[in-house]
Amino acid sequence: MTAAAGTPPKFGLSGFIAALAALIIVGLQISGTFDPPQQSAGATIGEIAAEIRQSARAALSGEERPAPPTDTGLSMTQILTVAGTVLGALGAVVGAIGLFRQEPYPLSAMAIGFGVGAILMQYLFWMAMLICGAMVLVAIVNNIGDIFG
């Protein structure tokens, strides 16, 4: 099941490069390298609690609530999220094509592994962020009486 002696592994190599680029992009995205500097977590949680308090008071008193701000620009994190997913999927698919064309096994298998690994790493990171965010919101809602006081 090996390629002919003179056949270069075109699909396996290109899939490996795309999947490796996806892993690097996802690593940079998760590390927050391209995110703008942000305030501390305590200040952010305090702002969320204050916004919940203002919204609840406005809803209870019948006042009109201000419209949430709309931001139509793409951030670097959003661009990296899409690029990492697309490159990971592309690397895995091109690696599978390399296996189908009976190119050398290691490069094609690594392309599939790195591509699926990049997508899985990104998915698990966002799931962890969602779970932690939900836990913070539950803690704020549980302490809403202290926030109103």
Side-chain angles (χ1 to χ4, degrees):
M1 281 232 179
T2 60
T7 307
K10 297 176 194 171
F11 288 99
L13 182 62
S14 58
F16 176 75
I17 291 171
L20 193 61
L23 270 178
I24 291 170
I25 287 173
V26 169
L28 289 174
Q29 175 214 356
I30 288 174
S31 71
T33 302
F34 295 110
D35 287 342
Q38 297 180 359
Q39 55 193 3
S40 70
T44 303
I45 292 171
E47 287 179 3
I48 292 171
E51 187 176 331
I52 290 173
R53 178 181 182 183
Q54 290 171 351
S55 179
R57 280 194 178 164
L60 291 174
S61 65
E63 297 174 14
E64 186 166 329
R65 290 172 276 177
T70 57
D71 184 23
T72 58
L74 288 175
S75 69
M76 185 59 103
T77 303
Q78 292 170 332
I79 293 170
L80 288 177
T81 300
V82 172
T85 304
V86 168
L87 277 176
L90 181 69
V93 167
V94 172
I97 291 172
L99 282 179
F100 179 73
R101 292 177 48 98
Q102 297 181 353
E103 291 182 359
Y105 180 78
L107 270 179
S108 298
M110 284 191 292
I112 293 170
F114 285 172
V116 170
I119 294 170
L120 187 63
M121 188 166 91
Q122 194 172 46
Y123 174 75
L124 292 176
F125 170 74
W126 284 112
M127 286 302 294
M129 294 296 287
L130 285 172
I131 290 169
C132 291
M135 289 171 56
V136 167
L137 286 176
V138 165
I140 290 173
V141 170
N142 282 338
N143 295 313
I144 199 79
D146 295 337
I147 294 171
F148 277 127

